[in-house]
Structure formats: C-alpha cells, structure tokens
Amino acid sequence: MTATRVLVLNSGSSSVKYQLLDMRDSTRLAVGLVERIGESTSRLVHTPLAGDGEKRERTGAIADHSAALKAVADELARDGLGLDSPELAAIGHRVVHGGLKFTEPTVITDEVMAEIERLVPVAPLHNPANITGIRTAQALRPDLPQVAVFDTAFHTTMPESAARYAIDVETADAHRIRRYGFHGTSHAYVSRATAALLGKDPSEVNVIVLHLGNGASASAVAGGRCVDTSMGLTPLEGLVMGTRSGDVDPAVTFHLMRVAGMSADEIDVLLNKKSGLVGLCGDNDMREIRRRVDAGDERATLAFDIYVHRLKKYIGAYCAVLGRVDAVAFTAGVGENAAPVREAAIAGLEQLGLAVDAGLNAVRSDEARLISPRDARVAVAVVPTDEELEIARQSYDLVGKKVNA
C-alpha cells in the first residue's frame, strides 16, 4: 500500500491545530483543533471531511500536549484514519524559528531538535510549544518520519543588506540578532499561487505579499525568492497588528524604563499584547473596528487610519525594493475578507500602477481572484493562504519517495 497521507501539526502553547491530507490530490481527510490545553475547559473539535462524517466536539480537561495528541489520534481512528495506518507517510510540524541553519524542510533528528532548542531565546513563545508537539508525535509514532517546516525558511534568501540590523556586527553575531521574518509558509504559498493566477511561472513574477491576520507581515518576493520582509528578529517588527505595535522607535523601551519605571517584561507585554489595534481602540477584530468606523467612532477611525498608513508605507517601500512589481496579493483573515482594508491600502497609489475595482473588491469568495481593473499595470489579487497544504507538500516532497521506495 502506498503511503500518501501527511498529518500536519501546528502546536501552540495551549493548542494544537491539525489537518490530515492525502497528497495524491491534496485532499483534506480531516481537520481539527484542540484548545485550552491544561485547563478544565479544554475543547477538541474534529471534522472528518471524507464520506459522510460530521463535526464532533469534546469538552473536558486535557492535561497536556501528550494527552491532546492522543485524543486527536483517537478521533482520527474513529474515522478509519488512525496514526497506525500504513498510508501515513509523515507528520509535518510547523516550527516558527529555524534561524539561519534551516533553509528548507528538514527531517527531525536529535541534532535538529537540539538546534531548535538552541533557538528558544529568539522565539520563546513559539519554539517550546513546537518542540512539545514534535516530542509527543515522536512518542506516538517513533518509526514515522517527522518533518519540520520552518516559518523563517522562506526568508533566508534575503540579502545581507536587508537582513542585517545596523548594530555592532560582533554583538549581533554573538547573539544571533538579525531579521529572520515569519509567516514564511504563507508567503511561499501565496507568492506561487499569485504567479499561477497570472498564468506565469513564479520565477517570472515579482510579488508583494500582504499577510494580514491578527499577526501581520509583508514580503517582497522577486522571482520566487524573498528579498525583504517586515518582521524581524521576532514577529513584533513591521506592520500594525491585532495586539502588536509593529515598528516603533527602540528608544521607547528605554524611555518607559526610565520614566515609567517599567521592567523589560512589562514592556514586552505592552508591545506584544496590549498594542496594535487593541491598544489604539480596544478592539483587535477588524470587523468590529469597521463597524465602529462606520458609526463615527473616532478612536476606531484613528486605529484604522494608522493601520492603513503603515500598510501603504510598506507597499511603497517594497515597490522600491523590487523595482518592477507584477502583483500585490492580500491574504489571511483580514487580507482575504476585509474589502475596506484592501481599498484603503491601495487608494492613492495610482502612480505606482495600483488600483482596485470597487465591484470586484466587494465580491466575497474562497477562490484566488483579481480585484484590479483589467487595464491596471500592476495586478491586485486576493489569494487565500493555505499554510497546512504548504507544510504537507513540503513534508511529502521530502520523504514521500523514500517512504514508498
């Protein structure tokens, strides 16, 4: 029997998202989420997508990630999709930070795990959870290839002129301080899908990708290779986000320490969890912000304007970086669904060849589509991202042939 299935795991600090895909035709067989791990109110939602399966939900305490993945395995087994299936080729793991060493998907070994652990100081919120998910999956299927797909890998093609900060080189190298970028699987998938939408090979297309969710990032992709991106050493840099400030003068940190008496940890919480849209207006849901804007709410209007202003700055900057731009692609929750954000971000950029057709922009669809006028010099697209499919493809491309040899 040919092994063509890949289980994709995205382990967070208190959650596990998962999808099971058959890579013969990229069909999803099951999707699910375990949330509030470690609490008495834990919840597992599992949806089998093959046959006549219906969504199932379980509530009650799930003590840790090990118990969570065992619960996932039980749900998959109920659908005849258990982890012991000979059709399972690999488990693909989203790992947020791979540093400079990991530039492509990698089969997980003891040495790889040790390096992921060494990167914990530059990804303290993400890599520990990723590590926990990997170890738990290894315990469940020690004989199965486990593949790490890194958020940072797509951005390792950035030139040093884009990746380096202008600080002392020895200090930077000693502490691995440089711009790494994140959301790489999304930027990789969307840049290729945008080229396909234009009927071209990725090597022929220059794309600005705007991944706009609660976390948000932009990238400049030249011929399929990232040459610049907005996030840096951590996911805090760049665009205004749901709860993160994005770009801010580094001296703000020193000022708050000296004048407000805040500790480094308190400033970390401020910039990562109490800033961005929620810091500006109390909401980080763009739908609610737009409702408030339409009702004349001044704080929401200011928050929206600041959000859009930062977007415009990055679009303009990346037009300069790329020289020639073939497309701007909006993706992720806000990018795919918030027509007012897309309209406002492109408005006034006609001199750059950018424009949005109001009618096309208003259409809601799950399909990749153009929203620019037919005669626009630069295409503007909405391209739904699919990070799980990207992880599955990269994992299967790496191990599929070996497993089925």
Side-chain angles (χ1 to χ4, degrees):
M1 182 178 291
T2 303
T4 59
R5 296 176 182 171
V6 175
L7 176 64
V8 175
L9 295 178
N10 182 351
S11 298
S13 58
S14 61
S15 67
V16 175
K17 297 178 184 178
Y18 64 93
Q19 291 194 15
L20 181 66
L21 300 95
D22 190 325
M23 299 316 296
R24 286 177 295 187
D25 54 7
S26 301
T27 299
R28 282 175 175 75
L29 302 176
V31 302
L33 167 68
V34 187
E35 57 185 354
R36 297 193 289 272
I37 295 171
E39 301 179 20
S40 60
T41 57
S42 304
R43 176 172 174 259
L44 187 157
V45 179
H46 174 86
T47 305
L49 301 177
D52 298 323
E54 295 183 358
K55 181 168 72 173
R56 302 191 293 270
E57 183 172 332
R58 294 168 53 179
T59 56
I62 297 177
D64 51 30
H65 282 71
S66 178
L69 282 187
K70 288 176 182 175
V72 171
D74 289 343
E75 292 298 327
L76 290 169
R78 287 180 60 181
D79 303 315
L81 304 170
L83 297 190
D84 58 350
S85 170
E87 294 182 72
L88 190 60
I91 298 178
H93 298 266
R94 179 201 181 205
V95 180
V96 168
H97 216 308
L100 290 180
K101 184 169 184 178
F102 298 114
T103 62
E104 56 190 16
T106 305
V107 174
I108 298 169
T109 63
D110 290 343
E111 292 75 17
V112 170
M113 284 293 286
E115 182 63 20
I116 295 172
E117 289 177 335
R118 278 194 289 270
L119 288 164
V120 165
V122 291
L125 299 178
H126 298 92
N127 274 30
N130 302 153
I131 290 166
T132 299
I134 292 168
R135 286 181 173 151
T136 303
Q138 287 176 324
L140 289 174
R141 279 297 305 268
D143 59 314
L144 197 68
Q146 311 272 337
V147 178
V149 178
F150 298 92
D151 264 18
T152 50
F154 183 65
H155 303 302
T156 58
T157 56
M158 282 192 294
E160 286 292 277
S161 57
R164 284 273 184 182
Y165 290 110
I167 65 172
D168 174 68
V169 171
E170 291 183 0
T171 301
D173 289 349
H175 300 286
R176 305 186 187 201
I177 298 172
R178 63 186 288 119
R179 302 183 61 250
Y180 293 100
F182 299 89
H183 295 145
T185 51
S186 177
H187 287 280
Y189 177 88
V190 171
S191 60
R192 285 202 309 274
T194 302
L197 185 63
L198 300 180
K200 297 182 178 180
D201 187 91
S203 64
E204 302 173 330
V205 178
N206 289 355
V207 186
I208 297 172
V209 178
L210 302 173
H211 177 107
L212 308 180
N214 193 49
S217 61
S219 67
V221 183
R225 293 167 60 86
C226 177
V227 296
D228 205 350
T229 192
S230 60
M231 286 180 167
L233 174 71
T234 76
L236 179 58
E237 187 180 0
L239 302 176
V240 175
M241 305 177 222
T243 66
R244 298 179 200 144
S245 64
D247 292 338
V248 67
D249 181 347
V252 168
T253 299
F254 316 140
H255 181 77
L256 291 173
M257 285 181 171
R258 294 166 181 155
V259 176
M262 295 177 69
S263 68
D265 287 343
E266 288 173 328
I267 296 170
D268 191 329
V269 170
L270 171 69
L271 296 180
N272 276 292
K273 298 182 179 180
K274 297 181 178 180
S275 296
L277 292 171
V278 78
L280 289 167
C281 72
D283 275 310
N284 64 330
D285 187 321
M286 186 56 72
R287 293 166 296 189
E288 177 61 17
I289 291 171
R290 282 303 311 176
R291 185 196 67 75
R292 289 172 57 185
V293 169
D294 292 341
D297 186 301
E298 291 184 2
R299 284 186 63 189
T301 300
L302 178 60
F304 183 81
D305 289 346
I306 292 171
Y307 183 93
V308 169
H309 179 77
R310 189 79 55 84
L311 266 179
K312 284 181 182 286
K313 285 177 66 174
Y314 270 90
I315 293 171
Y318 288 170
C319 284
V321 167
L322 290 169
R324 188 200 81 241
V325 178
D326 299 296
V328 173
F330 290 87
T331 194
V334 175
E336 294 169 27
N337 297 296
V341 169
R342 298 192 297 260
E343 179 182 8
I346 299 300
L349 301 182
E350 291 80 9
Q351 291 295 321
L352 299 177
L354 291 160
V356 165
D357 180 288
L360 294 175
N361 189 39
V363 173
R364 297 184 65 88
S365 173
D366 294 330
E367 301 297 322
R369 60 200 185 276
L370 296 177
I371 59 171
S372 48
R374 289 188 178 184
D375 60 350
R377 189 167 80 245
V378 179
V380 179
V382 179
V383 181
T385 192
D386 200 331
E387 295 174 87
E388 289 77 16
L389 177 58
E390 182 70 16
I391 292 170
R393 281 177 177 167
Q394 292 190 28
S395 299
Y396 190 71
D397 287 346
L398 182 62
V399 305
K401 290 182 180 179
K402 295 178 181 178
V403 169
N404 294 309

